[in-house]
Amino acid sequence: MVAVSRSQGTLSGGAALHERYLGWSVDVKGTACTECHAPPTSIAPSRPSDMIDSDLAKRWTAVLAKAGTVRERRDQLAKALKAKPQDPRTLLLLSVVEKSLAGKDPSARRASTKHAALLRTVE
C-alpha cells in the first residue's frame, strides 16, 4: 500500500491511482471482464457495489484521509453526481467516501446507504 499510496511521491498521486482502479469495477459486466468475473469462475467482484466494502476502497479513503482531502473529494463527487445522477462510477466512489465519513457524520451514513442503493439499480 505504501508504494501505491505514494505514487509519484505524493499522496494525491496515490489516491488518484486507487480511485482509478476502484472506478474500473463499474465495467465488470463488460466483455473483457466477464471472462473472469462471471460464471463459471465468478472471481469477485461480480458487481460494482461489491467494491464499496473492499480493501481497495478502504485503502483509497485512508490515503484521502491522510492527505486531508476526504471531504473535498466528497464535495467534488456530489457535484458530479448532480450533473450525471445515474453515473455508476460516481455513485460507487461517492458511496465509498460517504461510508468512510459515516462514523463522524450521521448524514454521511444515510447518504452512503442512499448512493449504494442507487448504484445497485444501475449496475
Side-chain angles (χ1 to χ4, degrees):
M1 177 175 129
V2 174
V4 175
S5 299
R6 290 222 175 244
S7 173
Q8 302 165 354
T10 66
L11 286 170
S12 61
L17 192 58
H18 280 82
E19 183 173 324
R20 180 178 174 200
Y21 290 138
L22 193 56
W24 283 346
S25 68
V26 300
D27 296 323
V28 76
K29 300 220 182 224
T31 306
C33 299
T34 55
E35 203 171 292
C36 296
H37 296 282
T41 56
S42 298
I43 297 169
S46 60
R47 330 173 284 183
S49 58
D50 293 344
M51 295 302 292
I52 293 171
D53 293 312
S54 69
D55 288 341
L56 178 60
K58 291 172 187 162
R59 287 193 305 266
W60 176 53
T61 55
V63 173
L64 287 175
K66 191 167 186 172
T69 58
V70 178
R71 292 181 189 281
E72 177 184 342
R73 188 64 186 122
R74 178 196 54 189
D75 295 345
Q76 293 166 347
L77 290 164
K79 185 177 179 181
L81 190 63
K82 284 182 181 177
K84 291 176 78 179
Q86 298 292 312
D87 182 56
R89 183 179 182 279
T90 305
L91 284 166
L92 169 65
L93 297 174
L94 193 52
S95 294
V96 170
V97 169
E98 292 284 9
K99 187 164 191 158
S100 76
L101 294 169
K104 302 171 192 135
D105 181 355
S107 65
R109 185 178 318 110
R110 288 188 299 277
S112 176
T113 302
K114 176 182 137 189
H115 295 129
L118 285 170
L119 175 60
R120 288 183 189 94
T121 67
V122 298
E123 56 186 8

